[in-house]
Amino acid sequence: MHNATSDEAVTSLHDLSAVDLIAGYRAKQFSPSEVLEEMLAHIESWEPHLKALYAFDPDGARAAARASTERWQKDEKTHALDGVPVTIKDNIATRGVPMPLGTASMKLVPAAADAPPAARLREAGAIIFAKTTMPDYGMLSSGLSSFHPLTRNPWDLTKNPGGSSAGAGAAGAAGYGPLHLGTDIGGSVRLPAGWCGLVGLKPSLGRVPIDPPYVGRVAGPMTRIVDDAALMMGVLSKPDRRDGMSLPPNDIHWKTLEKSPRKLRLGLMLDLNVGQALEKPVREVVVRAAKAFESAGSVVTEVGGILTREMLGGLDNFWRARMWDEIEKLAPEERRKMLPYIYQWGERGAKLSGVEVIRGFNATMAIRAAAAKLFCEVDYVISPVSPVVNFPAEYAAPINDPEKPFEHICYTVPWNMSENPAVSINGGYDDKGFPIGVQIIGRRFDDLGVLAMAKTFESLRGPQRPWPSPPKR
């Protein structure tokens, strides 16, 4: 473990939150250019170990930072994220940059335009200095990719950062600026956030317009503190007509995060009877989180999981068939370039019948119904993010077996299919100091409430360990 000192955590510009950066720019305590240069030096010390970045563009970032610095110095009109560094996941289009989707089988064609989340961040004045790594097609909870170098976890370089927003998780924990954008279709924001000690929000489906949209697929913020996630959501949730699944514009006051936990009905979801067994340190951290809310006045009741083995198997079949649709379009030499794990997993999709695939898709409707029934009885659910504390950096998944690909996502994937907002927030650590995420899930469209609950938990859980610092050369 490589831990920073308390002084470093307080004084380093790269460790400041986006909220603090904006306040500092406004007070002329420091400039976007100064922040960027310190952050780039910090990245130089970390990146040889982490391999979190793709399409790193320090020169373009310097030009954007100079322009932002001039706006702040001249007291010109600034924007919500003016001068704040941000990374964007590989699979979210940024104009002029190829989008490999983490796989060597993809042709590298520069994107014609920014996807909606990237467009909103750029309009808000954020400095997009790099994209971040992901595994092949985003279908792994891992930093393993056939295109990108292996991405590692800064808390322990022998461990996996999780995925598929792997680089975003590693970059956020390592202090590559305060704001990182990921995507999540089964846990791909929350899992790396949990394993990297971050706040990771999976919004309600359609709250953040994306392109292309898909069942359960969302984009969401990955940050160190809840206030930064809320600040980012104020930008990301603005409308974009390219997403036909997006929600109507809504005047959500994202900075209003005060929420009393008194008399709230909280469901504590621990044992699912499906998926990997819950490890003891994870259980202890989640139970401690529930007790903190209970001490603050919430009514906590244990609830059962809503996912069944049949539902999980159905999702597996549906996604295998969807993956085979992509693989089948590739030339033989392109197929050979992708991760063997992904090819082996997707190949079985070719053998599924149409009825089996439809049954798999129908599992999403069954999950939605079960979630709606559960939230008739509770206001929020507290659960683990992952059943395991961590797993090796070189693995494709905690169970490194393409025949058992989704045993670790049983706490996260239901909320993609049901469209409920869910946030991962660091709840504590194992005995070696590795972070363990707690998940808070709310009713559909209660994105602000979920963030407010996470903000409340920040105050209830007490001080956190220092963020990791780069290994000494």
Side-chain angles (χ1 to χ4, degrees):
M1 300 286 174
H2 309 286
N3 290 326
T5 66
S6 297
D7 287 344
E8 285 176 331
V10 169
T11 59
S12 297
L13 293 177
H14 63 259
D15 275 331
L16 290 179
S17 68
V19 171
D20 286 340
L21 287 180
I22 294 293
Y25 296 157
R26 185 173 290 116
K28 295 182 171 54
Q29 294 174 333
F30 43 76
S31 71
S33 290
E34 290 171 318
V35 169
L36 180 68
E37 289 304 326
E38 183 175 313
M39 190 190 73
L40 292 176
H42 181 69
I43 289 172
E44 186 178 356
S45 63
W46 253 129
E47 186 60 9
H49 307 282
L50 293 187
K51 308 293 187 185
L53 301 183
Y54 161 63
F56 184 37
D57 183 18
D59 290 338
R62 287 186 173 105
R66 282 195 298 271
S68 179
T69 295
E70 288 182 13
R71 288 192 292 272
W72 283 108
Q73 287 177 343
K74 294 177 181 178
D75 293 320
E76 294 179 358
K77 181 180 179 182
T78 55
H79 307 282
L81 300 177
D82 217 319
V84 178
V86 63
T87 71
I88 295 179
K89 189 177 175 180
D90 164 347
N91 66 341
I92 299 172
T94 52
R95 64 174 182 258
V97 179
M99 199 164 56
L101 304 183
T103 180
S105 62
M106 186 67 62
K107 290 183 173 68
L108 297 181
V109 180
D114 287 339
R120 298 296 86 76
L121 291 169
R122 205 184 296 275
E123 291 163 2
I127 297 173
I128 302 171
F129 67 91
K131 302 193 77 173
T132 50
T133 62
M134 62 182 281
D136 289 51
Y137 297 97
M139 291 309 299
L140 295 177
S141 299
S142 173
L144 184 65
S145 162
S146 63
F147 178 83
H148 301 296
L150 177 66
T151 304
R152 296 178 180 273
N153 193 312
W155 289 94
D156 182 338
L157 294 174
T158 70
K159 302 303 181 185
N160 211 294
S164 61
S165 305
Y176 291 19
L179 303 181
H180 306 273
L181 180 66
T183 63
D184 190 317
I185 199 171
S188 290
V189 160
R190 289 158 291 157
L191 287 163
W195 284 315
C196 293
L198 301 176
V199 175
L201 174 66
K202 183 208 79 67
S204 301
L205 185 73
R207 179 69 70 205
V208 174
I210 55 173
D211 182 29
Y214 196 75
V215 175
R217 182 173 183 257
V218 300
M222 297 173 70
T223 63
R224 287 183 170 186
I225 63 170
V226 175
D227 283 338
D228 277 2
L231 180 67
M232 212 168 167
M233 283 299 294
V235 170
L236 295 172
S237 60
K238 292 180 178 178
D240 194 299
R241 291 180 180 175
R242 288 176 285 177
D243 185 353
M245 299 172 72
S246 62
L247 297 175
N250 195 319
D251 240 357
I252 296 173
H253 299 288
W254 292 103
K255 294 181 181 179
T256 310
L257 295 176
E258 296 80 17
K259 190 178 188 74
S260 171
R262 292 192 69 249
K263 298 185 179 179
L264 288 177
R265 300 171 300 168
L266 305 186
L268 174 60
M269 185 179 288
L270 294 172
D271 297 307
L272 303 181
N273 298 317
V274 63
Q276 282 183 268
L278 184 60
E279 292 181 353
K280 184 179 178 183
V282 181
R283 180 186 294 271
E284 289 173 348
V285 165
V286 175
V287 168
R288 190 160 61 243
K291 287 182 177 178
F293 278 110
E294 192 170 46
S295 297
S298 298
V299 178
V300 179
T301 307
E302 283 204 45
V303 296
I306 64 171
L307 192 71
T308 66
R309 173 57 62 182
E310 183 180 16
M311 291 173 182
L312 187 64
L315 288 177
D316 188 8
N317 282 343
F318 173 57
W319 279 339
R320 284 181 197 251
R322 176 175 174 251
M323 188 72 251
W324 184 251
D325 179 50
E326 295 292 331
I327 295 172
E328 194 175 38
K329 298 170 186 174
L330 299 174
E333 62 272 17
E334 292 171 330
R335 295 182 190 183
R336 287 192 289 270
K337 294 177 182 178
M338 66 194 306
L339 278 180
Y341 182 105
I342 291 293
Y343 184 87
Q344 186 179 341
W345 170 70
E347 189 176 27
R348 206 181 82 187
K351 302 172 184 176
L352 295 168
S353 71
V355 171
E356 286 175 311
V357 176
I358 287 296
R359 284 174 181 159
F361 179 78
N362 285 344
T364 67
M365 297 297 104
I367 293 168
R368 181 190 294 264
K373 183 178 179 181
L374 172 64
F375 277 93
C376 289
E377 307 299 327
V378 298
D379 300 307
Y380 297 94
V381 170
I382 309 293
S383 87
V385 177
S386 160
V388 301
V389 175
N390 54 43
F391 64 105
E394 297 78 11
Y395 276 21
I399 297 178
N400 200 29
D401 181 354
E403 292 308 309
K404 298 178 180 178
F406 299 137
E407 301 299 302
H408 62 287
I409 66 171
C410 294
Y411 289 101
T412 53
V413 72
W415 317 116
N416 294 82
M417 302 303 108
S418 67
E419 304 182 11
N420 294 62
V423 64
S424 170
I425 182 169
N426 190 43
Y429 308 84
D430 72 353
D431 58 6
K432 295 180 180 178
F434 198 89
I436 295 172
V438 171
Q439 184 174 215
I440 303 171
I441 308 107
R443 293 192 177 100
R444 286 177 74 210
F445 314 133
D446 188 20
D447 303 70
L448 183 62
V450 163
L451 280 179
M453 288 291 285
K455 176 72 172 176
T456 298
F457 181 63
E458 274 185 336
S459 64
L460 293 174
R461 74 182 176 188
Q464 297 291 280
R465 290 173 182 259
W467 291 97
S469 59
K472 294 180 180 178
R473 297 185 179 182

